[in-house]
């Protein structure tokens, strides 16, 4: 075995048919023995059969050899994906066609409910092939989304047209209550929106609501005020053209005034809209009011409840090292952060969305599993898949700390947050391999959560986050902790991607050493002074002890006779 892969698996991945034939015919290699496959340009790793590997790698001659020798064309990966489904994702029509000819089941979904057709929305040709071979255009995944939902999410107009022409149900609603039209509105898919409203005879009220929501998407997600105003004015025209009891079509339901929105109400006339067209804050409030009326923010809470229970069940049954456990946790955090952002637009703020109690419960659930998972990672052999899952859970915990800070505004909630974080810091959890601490992660822009379980149109960049970093330091996080590369949190914060004067100052004020040498020989001070955005006097943070340690090392002075308490301090300044 090499990197968890048998010789046959490696030969299949490389496409060397002669070696594959030799290993099967002469060496009697197990044609179903799974190996580790790392998908290019994707952080995920899967354990799959040689046939699955050959299919996703586009090695058709190898596939023919394996199938000739009896390989199972419907054997699934660790995520439940068949070779044909995975080949659909990479749009390899020749591979898909050959697999289908040899008995591949195009109806078999992954464990997440993803179908071949859902994986093929990027190609009308591939969708056509699948539908002609009996694919169900209305099959749904675990989010109750169909291929049509995904085509719209990806702005695939031609695929959308094809699916609609082949009896796709435009009224199926996902778990988030989005049908085809609402999905187009939420994604800002304006061409698909136009196609749908011309194809389907929606009621005037539904059409007006959808047009208003479209405007809000352009305002919120694309910062396009001009397009937002265009759609909002079109919605007013629809309402004015459909009079009810002598008045324009009303906006329903009527929401009560809220202090968080400064008691504002939605515009109902063109004059009211024109009066605020240059007032960005007023337009932001209007956009938020429209979203709350049409979408009902309570749907997020229902989804959080569902995903939280799913996570609890998974943790009860499996370790957090299990890939599905990590993926569910990532999906839940993605949903909660999206909820928080949608309900705290700019200066308008709902005090506790998502609920502080939910954040606390999920934080406790994940943290309680860290010690056991860490011990399991010490047992050989150690699998990269398990390490990645562990790292993913630690990232989730950092984002939960962010949510604790953001939702816990009352004094008793702040006290709970501090105790939770203090207890976490005492555990000193570190990522697998690199050995980054929680503080390392919370000063890095690269600390993001990605998931394929829940579709979102953007990645939330939370870190570096000054409030989270300050809390960690107050709770005892080691400001000079080193990872395996001898990199400290200050090294990471000093990079041009993460640089913030307030963040650098905070770390230095808590005792971060400005001249610690990492494995590349670089110090934070070198990185900081090269940044034109620097606005502080670094001389205040260079102590006499630091100068002395550097002098000892520079001059080659024997320092082993110094007090033991100073050895580590000198080591900080030594090049590895």
């Amino acid at each position: 075995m090499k990197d968890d892969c048998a010789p046959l698996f490696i030969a299949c991945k490389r496409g060397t048919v002669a070696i594959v034939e030799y290993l099967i015919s002469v060496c009697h290699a197990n044609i179903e023995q799974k190996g580790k496959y790392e998908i290019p340009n994707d952080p995920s790793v899967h354990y799959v059969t040689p046939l699955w590997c050959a299919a996703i790698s586009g090695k058709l001659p190898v596939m023919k050899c394996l199938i000739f020798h009896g390989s199972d064309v419907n054997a699934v990966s660790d995520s439940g994906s068949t070779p044909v489904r995975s080949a659909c994702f990479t749009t390899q029509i020749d591979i898909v066609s050959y697999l289908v000819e040899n008995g591949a089941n195009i109806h078999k979904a992954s464990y997440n409910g993803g179908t071949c057709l859902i994986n093929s929305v990027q190609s009308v040709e591939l969708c056509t092939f699948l539908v002609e071979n009996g694919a169900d255009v209305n099959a749904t995944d675990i989010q109750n989304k169909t291929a049509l939902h995904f085509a719209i999410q990806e702005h695939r107009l031609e695929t959308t047209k094809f699916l609609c022409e082949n009896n796709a149900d435009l009224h199926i609603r996902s778990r988030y209550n989005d049908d085809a039209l609402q999905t187009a509105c939420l994604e800002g898919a304006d061409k698909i929106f136009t196609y749908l409203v011309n194809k389907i005879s929606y009621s005037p009220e539904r059409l007006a609501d959808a047009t208003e929501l479209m405007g809000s998407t352009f305002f919120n997600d694309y910062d396009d005020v001009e397009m937002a105003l265009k759609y909002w004015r079109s919605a007013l025209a629809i309402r004015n053209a459909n009079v009810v009891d002598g008045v324009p079509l009303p906006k329903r339901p009527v929401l009560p005034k809220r202090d968080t929105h400064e008691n504002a109400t939605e515009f109902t006339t063109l004059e009211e809209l024109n009066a605020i067209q240059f007032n960005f804050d007023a337009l932001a409030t209007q956009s938020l009011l429209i979203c709350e009326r049409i979408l009902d923010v309570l749907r997020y809470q229902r989804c959080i409840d569902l995903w939280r229970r799913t996570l609890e069940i998974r943790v009860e049954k499996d370790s957090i090292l299990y890939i599905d456990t990590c993926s569910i946790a990532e999906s839940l955090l993605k949903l909660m952060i999206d909820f928080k952002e949608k309900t705290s637009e700019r200066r308008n703020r709902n005090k506790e969305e998502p609920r502080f109690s939910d954040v606390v419960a999920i934080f406790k659930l994940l943290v309680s599993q860290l010690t056991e998972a860490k011990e399991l990672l010490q047992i050989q052999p150690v699998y990269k898949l398990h390490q990645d899952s562990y790292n993913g859970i630690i990232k989730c915990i950092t984002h939960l700390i962010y949510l604790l800070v953001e939702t816990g505004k009352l004094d008793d909630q702040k006290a709970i947050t501090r105790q939770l974080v203090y207890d976490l810091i005492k555990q000193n959890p570190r990522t697998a391999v690199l050995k980054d601490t929680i503080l390392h992660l919370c000063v890095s822009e690269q600390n993001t959560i990605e998931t394929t379980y829940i579709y979102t149109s953007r990645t939330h960049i939370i870190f570096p986050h000054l409030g989270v970093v300050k809390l960690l330091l107050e709770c005892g996080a080691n400001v000079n902790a080193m990872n395996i590369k001898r990199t400290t949190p200050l090294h990471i914060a000093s990079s041009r991607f993460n640089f913030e004067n307030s963040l650098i100052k905070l770390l230095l004020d808590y005792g971060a050493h400005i001249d610690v040498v990492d494995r590349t020989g670089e110090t934070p001070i070198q990185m900081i002074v090269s940044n034109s955005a620097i606005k502080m006097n670094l001389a205040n943070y260079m102590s006499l002890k630091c100068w002395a340690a550097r002098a000892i090392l520079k001059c080659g002075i024997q320092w082993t006779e110094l007090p033991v308490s100073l050895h580590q301090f000198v080591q900080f300044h030594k090049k590895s």
Side-chain angles (χ1 to χ4, degrees), residues 26-43:
V26 179
C27 302
H28 306 293
N30 181 358
I31 60 174
E32 303 298 342
Q33 184 177 359
K34 292 185 176 182
K36 181 175 69 175
Y37 187 87
E38 298 187 35
I39 299 176
N41 304 315
D42 190 303

Side-chain angles (χ1 to χ4, degrees), residues 126-192:
L126 187 50
C127 287
T128 301
F129 173 83
L130 293 171
V131 171
E132 289 176 348
N133 280 273
D136 181 1
V137 295
N138 292 314
T140 59
D141 67 0
I142 61 171
Q143 299 179 78
N144 209 47
K145 290 183 178 181
T146 65
L148 182 59
H149 282 96
F150 285 92
I152 297 171
Q153 284 175 183
E154 296 180 17
H155 293 232
R156 308 280 186 182
L157 176 59
E158 295 307 316
T159 304
T160 298
K161 289 180 178 179
F162 170 79
L163 292 171
C164 291
E165 291 164 0
N166 283 272
N167 303 315
D169 187 341
L170 282 77
H171 304 293
I172 292 177
R173 290 185 177 271
S174 71
R175 281 185 173 172
Y176 313 110
N177 202 37
D178 301 327
D179 63 0
L181 182 61
Q182 189 152 294
T183 301
C185 295
L186 292 171
E187 298 304 325
D190 51 346
K191 293 180 180 179
I192 294 177

Side-chain angles (χ1 to χ4, degrees), residues 255 337 378 446:
L255 299 180
I337 291 171
Q378 305 304 313
Q446 294 182 352

Side-chain angles (χ1 to χ4, degrees), residues 11 18 26 32 72 93 121 164 195 211 330 360 452 459 532 545:
V26 179
E32 303 298 342
D72 182 359
I93 298 178
V121 296
C164 291
Y195 169 76
T211 306
E330 290 170 336
V360 170
T452 57
T459 299
S532 59
K545 283 175 63 177

Side-chain angles (χ1 to χ4, degrees), residues 518-544:
D518 66 11
R519 289 207 183 280
T520 67
E522 196 164 27
T523 63
I525 192 171
Q526 292 172 326
M527 302 166 72
I528 296 171
V529 297
S530 66
N531 195 317
S532 59
I534 180 69
K535 294 180 181 178
M536 66 183 76
N537 185 359
L538 297 179
N540 297 332
Y541 298 100
M542 283 293 293
S543 68
L544 185 59

Side-chain angles (χ1 to χ4, degrees), residues 394-402 405 421 424-425 431 436-448 462-473 477 489 492-493 498 500 503 506-507:
I394 290 183
K395 282 188 174 184
C396 286
I397 289 171
T398 63
H399 285 73
L400 283 165
I401 297 173
Y402 159 73
V405 170
V421 174
L424 173 68
I425 295 300
T431 60
D436 284 325
T437 66
I438 296 291
L439 188 57
H440 281 90
L441 296 176
C442 291
V443 298
S444 174
E445 185 184 72
Q446 294 182 352
N447 179 16
T448 59
I462 303 298
F463 300 102
H465 191 281
L466 195 66
V468 171
V469 173
K470 188 173 187 297
L471 175 63
L472 291 172
L473 293 171
I492 296 174
N498 302 316
E500 294 177 13
L503 178 64
L506 177 63
L507 293 171

Side-chain angles (χ1 to χ4, degrees), residues 324-390:
D324 272 4
T325 308
C326 178
S327 296
I328 291 168
E330 290 170 336
S331 299
L332 178 54
L333 263 294
K334 196 96 170 178
L335 183 65
M336 294 175 81
I337 291 171
D338 192 45
F339 184 24
K340 192 205 78 68
E341 291 204 354
K342 286 184 181 297
T343 55
S344 59
E345 293 291 338
R346 297 168 177 85
R347 65 180 181 179
N348 297 300
R349 180 66 195 265
N350 196 317
K351 291 182 179 180
E352 196 182 315
E353 294 172 343
R355 296 183 307 210
F356 179 76
S357 58
D358 284 332
V359 181
V360 170
I362 297 163
F363 182 92
K364 289 181 176 179
L365 178 66
L366 295 183
V367 171
S368 68
Q369 305 296 309
L370 287 178
T371 300
E372 179 186 2
K374 184 178 179 180
E375 291 172 353
L376 289 172
L377 286 176
Q378 305 304 313
I379 302 173
Q380 298 295 328
V382 178
Y383 295 101
K384 184 177 183 297
L385 197 65
H386 292 164
Q387 293 175 329
D388 291 343
S389 295
Y390 182 74

